[in-house]
Amino acid sequence: MASSLTKDPASTSGSAKTFFGHPRGLATLFMTEMWERFSYYGMRALLPLYLIAPNGLHMNPATATAIYSVYVSLVYLLAMPGGWFGDRVWGPRKTVAIAGAVIMIGHLALALPMQGTFFAGLGLVAIGSGLLKSNISTMVGHLYDGPDDPRRDGGFTIFYMGINAGAFAAPLIIGTVGENVNWHLGFALAALGMGLGLAQFLMGTRHLDERSLVVPKPLSAAERASTLRKGMIWLAVAAVFYIVTVVTGVYTLNWLLVPITVAGLVIPVVVLARIKRDKELSATEQSKMSGYIWFFVAAAIFWMIYDQGGSTVAIFADSSADNSVFGWNFPVSWYQSVNPVLIMALAPLFAAFWLSLNRRGKEPSTIVKFSSGLVLVGASFFLFLMPLTIATDGHKAAAMWLVAIYFVQTVAELTLSPVGLSVTTKMAPAKYASQMMGVWFLAVTAGDCTTGLLSIAGVELNGTGVVTLQAFLAVAAGVAVFMYRGKVKQLMGDVR
C-alpha cells in the first residue's frame, strides 16, 4: 500500500502526520483490522473445504456446515462479552492486543495436523475475534472530536475499506496455498497475517488516542471477585460434564455443537426480553424496542441465508461446479473474494444513489430498504435453484451461476446491513446505548445457529426443496415487513 501520510494543515506545530487527511492512528487501526480480517476470512474460506476434504477431516457436508455455522455464530455471540471486557476490565487498547495474540495462537493451533488442536484453534480464534470486534471500532471513534467531527464518517469508511481489502486478498492467497499446497500451511499463513497485524498495532499504539487506554467503567473489587467466582463455577461445571461424557464413552461432536446452537438461539431471546421488560424504559423507548424486534427477526432470517454463501454454496461449488473461467481452473475458496470486491466497488455507488434520491425527496424509508434486502437475499436462493438443477447426472454448473448468487447477496447486504446498523443506534434506549450493537450482532448468531441446528438434524441444505423453502421464507419476511410498514413506523416513533 502506497504511503499517504501528509502534514496535517490543522496542526499548530506543522509536524503532525495524517492518514488520508485523518488522524495518524487511523493507519494503525486500518492495518490491524486489515490483517485480522485477512487471517479470519482466509481461514473461513478454507474451513468448510478442509472439513469435507478426503485429505482433511473427511466429514459429511451436513456436519461441516454445522461446524462452520456454529463457529461463525460464536464470533458474533462473543462480541458482547468482548465489548464488556473492553469497558469493564482491560480497556479497548489492551483488549485488542490480547485479542490479536489469542487469534494468532488459534491459527497456529489450526496449523497443527491434529483434530483436537484444530477444534481448540477454532475456539481460540472465535474468542479473539469476539474480543477484537467491538473494541477496535471503539478506538476508531476515539480518534475524532465527538460524533459531530466532520471527518468521523469518512474515517469509518476508510476503516471498513481495510476490512474488505483483507477479506478480498485472503481467499486468493490463503485459499490457494491451503487447497493447492497444504491445508495446514494455509492456516499457518493466517497466523502469520495476524502476527503482522499485531506487531504493527503494538508499534503504532503511540498514535492512538489516550482514551483507548482507559477502562470506562472498571469493576470494583467486589464485582471482580464475584465475576471471577461465577466464571470459575461455570467453567468447572462444563469441564466435569464433558469429562464424564468422554469417560463414559457417550461423547460425540453433537454434545458440543447442540448446546452452542441452542444457546445461540436462546441468548438473543433472553437479551431482548430483558431489555423489553425493563421498567426504567419510557413508553417511547418501549415502543421503539417493539419495532426493533421486527427488524431483529427479519435480520436473523437474512443472515441465515447470507452466511450459507461460505458453507452450503461453497460446498456445492466444491463438488458440483465447473470452477473455471475460459478454461482456467481456480480454487473453490476464491469465490469468497467475490463479496468483498463487490462491496468495495458498489458501496460508493449505493451511497451516491441514496444521496441523490434524498436530494429529490425520494429516498426509500428504512423499512422499505430492509424489506428489499430480505427479498433480494431470498432471490439469491431462488437463483441457486438453477445450478442445483443443472448439476445432475454428472453435469457441472458454470461458475458464473455462483458469482451471480454472490452478486445478488452483496446487493442485498448493501441494502440491509448498513440500515440495520443505523436503525440499531437510532432505536436503542439510552440505558442500553453501548450494548445495542452487540444485540444487533446477536441476529447473526441466531441466523447461523438456525442453520447449525438444521444441519445437525441432518437436513440437506443444498437440496432443492430446502433451498426453495428458505428463499420463500426470506421473501415472505420481506413482504411482511413491507405490508406492516405502517405499524412498524408507528412503533419506531421519530426514527426514520
Side-chain angles (χ1 to χ4, degrees):
M1 179 176 176
S3 173
S4 50
L5 298 178
T6 59
K7 289 186 178 180
D8 186 350
S11 171
T12 57
S13 68
S15 62
K17 300 289 187 177
T18 67
F19 180 67
F20 289 105
H22 291 266
R24 177 66 180 88
L26 184 62
T28 296
L29 299 176
F30 175 95
M31 295 298 291
T32 303
E33 184 71 356
M34 186 191 75
W35 282 115
E36 188 273 332
R37 292 291 88 181
F38 174 85
S39 68
Y40 173 78
Y41 280 103
M43 183 276 289
R44 204 170 100 159
L46 284 182
L47 179 57
L49 305 177
Y50 172 72
L51 291 173
I52 63 173
N55 62 340
L57 295 187
H58 205 190
M59 295 178 173
N60 61 62
T63 302
T65 300
I67 293 171
Y68 177 91
S69 301
V70 166
Y71 166 71
V72 174
S73 70
L74 266 180
V75 169
Y76 288 92
L77 179 63
L78 293 171
M80 281 193 77
W84 180 86
F85 268 93
D87 285 341
R88 307 297 308 274
V89 184
W90 294 321
R93 190 186 300 188
K94 186 175 181 180
T95 303
V96 167
I98 292 171
V102 171
I103 292 170
M104 183 177 68
I105 293 169
H107 286 305
L108 288 173
L110 292 174
L112 299 175
M114 293 178 285
Q115 186 167 322
T117 55
F118 179 82
F119 287 108
L122 280 183
L124 288 171
V125 175
I127 291 169
S129 298
L131 286 170
L132 186 140
K133 184 174 288 292
S134 300
N135 291 285
I136 195 165
S137 296
T138 299
M139 287 196 290
V140 174
H142 286 163
L143 297 173
Y144 300 95
D145 298 325
D148 296 327
D149 189 321
R151 302 173 300 171
R152 186 183 179 93
D153 287 350
F156 272 99
T157 299
I158 293 172
F159 177 70
Y160 288 125
M161 289 298 285
I163 292 174
N164 286 291
F168 168 70
L172 304 180
I173 299 173
I174 295 175
T176 301
V177 172
E179 287 189 64
N180 295 341
V181 181
N182 181 276
W183 295 109
H184 297 285
L185 183 58
F187 294 129
L189 277 181
L192 175 62
M194 189 64 255
L196 291 172
L198 178 60
Q200 71 82 41
F201 175 77
L202 294 175
M203 289 188 293
T205 51
R206 66 186 184 279
H207 300 297
L208 302 177
D209 191 274
E210 291 301 310
R211 285 174 291 177
S212 66
L213 284 170
V214 176
V215 181
K217 300 176 183 177
L219 293 172
S220 66
E223 288 176 320
R224 187 179 293 270
S226 174
T227 302
L228 183 61
R229 183 174 63 254
K230 291 176 181 177
M232 294 304 294
I233 290 172
W234 280 109
L235 184 62
V237 169
V240 170
F241 175 79
Y242 283 106
I243 289 171
V244 169
T245 60
V246 170
V247 170
T248 56
V250 300
Y251 177 81
T252 65
L253 192 57
N254 284 349
W255 281 95
L256 183 63
L257 297 179
V258 172
I260 295 175
T261 51
V262 171
L265 292 171
V266 171
I267 289 173
V269 174
V270 170
V271 170
L272 287 171
R274 180 173 62 85
I275 296 174
K276 190 73 181 67
R277 291 200 311 266
D278 192 330
K279 303 295 184 184
E280 295 181 14
L281 300 188
S282 67
T284 300
E285 289 176 325
Q286 287 282 0
S287 177
K288 288 180 179 179
M289 280 305 301
S290 296
Y292 183 75
I293 289 171
W294 280 76
F295 291 106
F296 185 92
V297 173
I301 295 171
F302 175 89
W303 295 114
M304 178 185 73
I305 294 176
Y306 179 89
D307 276 347
Q308 288 183 62
S311 54
T312 304
V313 179
I315 290 172
F316 169 83
D318 186 56
S319 62
S320 305
D322 177 16
N323 304 308
S324 64
V325 177
F326 303 119
W328 176 69
N329 293 319
F330 59 87
V332 177
S333 54
W334 282 24
Y335 284 112
Q336 302 310 309
S337 287
V338 174
N339 170 259
V341 75
L342 287 175
I343 288 286
M344 289 188 286
L346 297 178
L349 299 180
F350 266 72
F353 179 61
W354 296 136
L355 186 59
S356 175
L357 290 179
N358 181 268
R359 287 169 178 164
R360 289 180 283 166
K362 295 182 179 180
E363 183 180 4
S365 67
T366 293
I367 299 170
V368 172
K369 290 178 182 177
F370 213 87
S371 61
S372 299
L374 280 164
V375 170
L376 283 168
V377 83
S380 76
F381 260 35
F382 278 125
L383 184 60
F384 190 19
L385 293 173
M386 293 300 295
L388 285 173
T389 304
I390 292 169
T392 55
D393 302 324
H395 293 102
K396 296 279 188 178
M400 291 312 295
W401 282 113
L402 303 186
V403 172
I405 293 170
Y406 291 117
F407 174 81
V408 175
Q409 289 189 344
T410 301
V411 174
E413 180 188 3
L414 288 169
T415 305
L416 180 141
S417 185
V419 173
L421 291 168
S422 176
V423 82
T424 297
T425 59
K426 291 176 180 177
M427 296 176 72
K431 181 178 178 180
Y432 297 98
S434 62
Q435 299 178 41
M436 283 299 288
M437 199 55 68
V439 174
W440 169 252
F441 288 145
L442 289 180
V444 186
T445 298
D448 283 312
C449 282
T450 302
T451 301
L453 276 179
L454 290 172
S455 299
I456 291 167
V459 175
E460 187 180 354
L461 289 173
N462 61 0
T464 54
V466 176
V467 169
T468 302
L469 182 61
Q470 292 181 84
F472 269 119
L473 177 62
V475 171
V479 171
V481 171
F482 182 79
M483 292 292 291
Y484 287 90
R485 64 190 182 280
K487 177 179 176 60
V488 178
K489 186 182 292 186
Q490 184 179 9
L491 292 169
M492 291 170 68
D494 58 353
V495 176
R496 292 293 176 264

